[in-house]
Amino acid sequence: MIKIIAVGKDDSIEQLNNLEGLNVKKYKLIWIDCYDPKDEELYKLSKFVNIEVADLQVALDDQEIPRIEEEDDYYLIIYRTPLLEEQSTSTLGIFIKDNIILTLHSDKIKAIERIYNTIILRNPKIFKNVGFFIYIILNEITRSYSRILVSLDDELEELEDKILAGFEKNVIERILYLRKILVYFHKALIANRDVLILLKRKYLPIVSKEDKENFEDLYYDTLQLIDMSATYREVLTSMMDMSLSLENIKMNQIVKILTMVTTIFALPMWITGIFGMNFQYMPLINSPYGCWVAFSSMILSIIFFIWVFRKMRWI
C-alpha cells in the first residue's frame, strides 16, 4: 500500500493516488509511505526514486540494525519502532533523496498512521524542511515507546497486587511475557540511540543546526526510555523472585503442617499397632484398665507434642 503526501511551495498539502506523472520539482517536499509493498509496488518506487529494488528491500528486513547510510545520491535511516498490537519491534526504513522522503516498512506502524491521519492534515508546518520532518517521524516513534512503557507501569502495580493476594500461574506467565517485551524494547532503544547520536553530531546536509537541537532533545528522551525499560525489567525480576519466595513460604507452611500432623499421631498409631498384634500374651491384655491406659497414653502423647510445637512457635 502506497500513500503520497505532497507539500507545495505555498505549504498547501495534496494527497496523491499514484506516482505516475508526479512532478517532483513542483513541490517543496514529497512524503511517500509504503506499507508491506508487493513486488510491483517496489518496482514502481525503485523507478520513481531511482534506487535499486535490492536497496529498498533492506528496509523490509526485520533483522536489520538501526543505522544511517550515506550513499552517493540518497540517505538511508534504519530505525526500530514498537508494534503496539504484537508488543514487539519492527524495522522502519527512511530513504531521503532531494525533496523526497520515503518510509518503507513491512508491519503496520501506529506512529506513521498518527502522523498521516492527524498531524499532517492539521499542521503543514511540520514540512518546514526535510530534517524537521525526519525529526517528527522519529519523535512520534519515541512517543510510541513512551506510551507503551507508561501503560506497563499500571500493569506492574496490578501484577504486584495479584502476587501478594496469592500465587497464580497466569501471573508468572505474564511477568515472563513482559520481561521479554522489555528486552526487545531495551535493545531497540539502545540501537535507536546510536542513530540519534549521529543525527545530532555528524554533519549531514539533510539536518540543519536547528534540527540537530531537536535530535539532541530526542536523544535525551530516548535515554530516559532506556532507563525506564531497564528499571521495569528489574522490577519484574524482583516480582518474579518475590512470587517464587511466597510460593516457597507456602510450601514450607504445608510441609510444616504435614510434619506436625504426622508427628502428633505417630505415637498413638504406634501404640495401637502394638496392641493390635495377634499375640497370646500382651501387657494389660486381660486388665480391665488396659484400654484406658492405652487411651490415656495416646492423649498424653498428643498433648505433649502440641506443647512442643507451641514452644517452637510452629502453632
Side-chain angles (χ1 to χ4, degrees):
M1 180 184 294
I2 298 178
K3 296 179 180 179
I4 307 169
I5 295 289
V7 181
K9 305 218 176 191
D10 58 348
D11 289 335
S12 61
I13 295 178
E14 296 182 31
Q15 299 183 54
L16 306 177
N17 297 323
N18 54 66
L19 298 171
E20 297 177 0
L22 179 59
N23 186 0
V24 177
K25 296 181 180 179
K26 178 183 174 183
Y27 301 99
K28 180 174 72 173
L29 193 148
I30 298 173
W31 176 34
I32 305 171
D33 178 62
C34 186
Y35 158 58
D36 193 20
K38 299 177 181 178
D39 294 339
E40 181 182 352
E41 291 174 327
L42 276 178
Y43 176 76
K44 288 181 180 179
L45 288 172
S46 174
K47 186 177 179 181
F48 180 78
V49 298
N50 195 22
I51 299 176
E52 295 292 332
V53 173
D55 295 334
L56 294 177
Q57 288 176 334
V58 170
L60 303 176
D61 186 358
D62 200 47
Q63 302 301 321
E64 288 293 327
I65 300 174
R67 64 187 183 276
I68 298 177
E69 291 185 2
E70 187 175 357
E71 303 296 339
D72 294 335
D73 57 347
Y74 71 91
Y75 293 89
L76 169 62
I77 299 176
I78 299 292
Y79 213 69
R80 298 296 296 183
T81 177
L83 298 178
L84 186 60
E85 295 85 359
E86 301 178 13
Q87 296 284 331
S88 59
T89 62
S90 181
T91 300
L92 171 67
I94 306 174
F95 295 86
I96 305 104
K97 185 172 184 179
D98 299 327
N99 64 332
I100 301 174
I101 296 178
L102 169 63
T103 53
L104 201 58
H105 47 99
S106 58
D107 297 295
K108 185 177 289 187
I109 299 174
K110 289 291 186 181
I112 297 295
E113 291 186 356
R114 281 195 295 269
I115 294 174
Y116 186 86
N117 295 326
T118 305
I119 302 177
I120 290 180
L121 300 179
R122 299 180 183 178
N123 187 9
K125 293 182 180 179
I126 66 171
F127 284 116
K128 182 169 53 177
N129 54 55
V130 172
F132 187 73
F133 185 62
I134 294 172
Y135 160 74
I136 291 296
I137 294 175
L138 302 187
N139 181 59
E140 194 63 34
I141 290 173
T142 304
R143 290 176 62 189
S144 296
Y145 279 109
S146 178
R147 288 188 183 96
I148 296 175
L149 290 176
V150 169
S151 66
L152 287 181
D153 189 16
D154 297 332
E155 186 171 359
L156 290 180
E157 293 183 2
E158 294 179 5
L159 287 175
E160 187 174 359
D161 294 337
K162 289 181 179 179
I163 290 174
L164 294 176
F167 178 81
E168 295 182 12
K169 183 180 179 181
N170 60 341
V171 173
I172 300 298
E173 292 176 352
R174 187 62 181 173
I175 290 175
L176 293 174
Y177 176 68
L178 293 178
R179 282 182 63 185
K180 182 179 178 180
I181 293 173
L182 290 174
V183 169
Y184 289 146
F185 280 14
H186 189 75
K187 290 182 178 179
L189 287 168
I190 289 178
N192 290 348
R193 178 196 61 186
D194 296 338
V195 173
L196 294 173
I197 289 175
L198 292 176
L199 288 173
K200 77 185 186 71
R201 289 184 180 177
K202 185 178 180 181
Y203 171 75
L204 296 173
I206 58 175
V207 179
S208 65
K209 183 178 179 181
E210 183 180 353
D211 296 329
K212 286 185 177 182
E213 294 177 357
N214 292 328
F215 285 120
E216 187 168 1
D217 294 337
L218 190 57
Y219 166 76
Y220 288 115
D221 291 341
T222 303
L223 287 183
Q224 290 180 350
L225 292 177
I226 291 173
D227 292 339
M228 187 183 297
S229 64
T231 301
Y232 286 169
R233 193 167 51 172
E234 291 177 2
V235 169
L236 285 171
T237 302
S238 300
M239 290 173 61
M240 175 67 74
D241 294 339
M242 180 176 66
S243 178
L244 294 176
S245 297
L246 290 174
E247 183 64 13
N248 288 332
I249 291 173
K250 290 180 180 179
M251 288 297 296
N252 290 337
Q253 287 294 114
I254 294 173
V255 171
K256 187 185 294 185
I257 292 172
L258 292 176
T259 302
M260 287 190 296
V261 171
T262 303
T263 305
I264 288 173
F265 290 99
L267 188 56
M269 291 179 65
W270 179 70
I271 295 173
T272 56
I274 291 176
F275 284 96
M277 292 187 295
N278 295 321
F279 291 122
Q280 183 177 0
Y281 301 103
M282 290 285 293
L284 304 175
I285 194 70
N286 295 317
S287 173
Y289 304 106
C291 178
W292 300 109
V293 171
F295 277 142
S296 300
S297 302
M298 288 187 281
I299 292 174
L300 289 175
S301 67
I302 291 174
I303 294 173
F304 171 75
F305 283 119
I306 290 176
W307 176 80
V308 170
F309 290 138
R310 288 182 63 86
K311 198 75 172 177
M312 297 172 63
R313 296 185 178 180
W314 280 25
I315 55 177

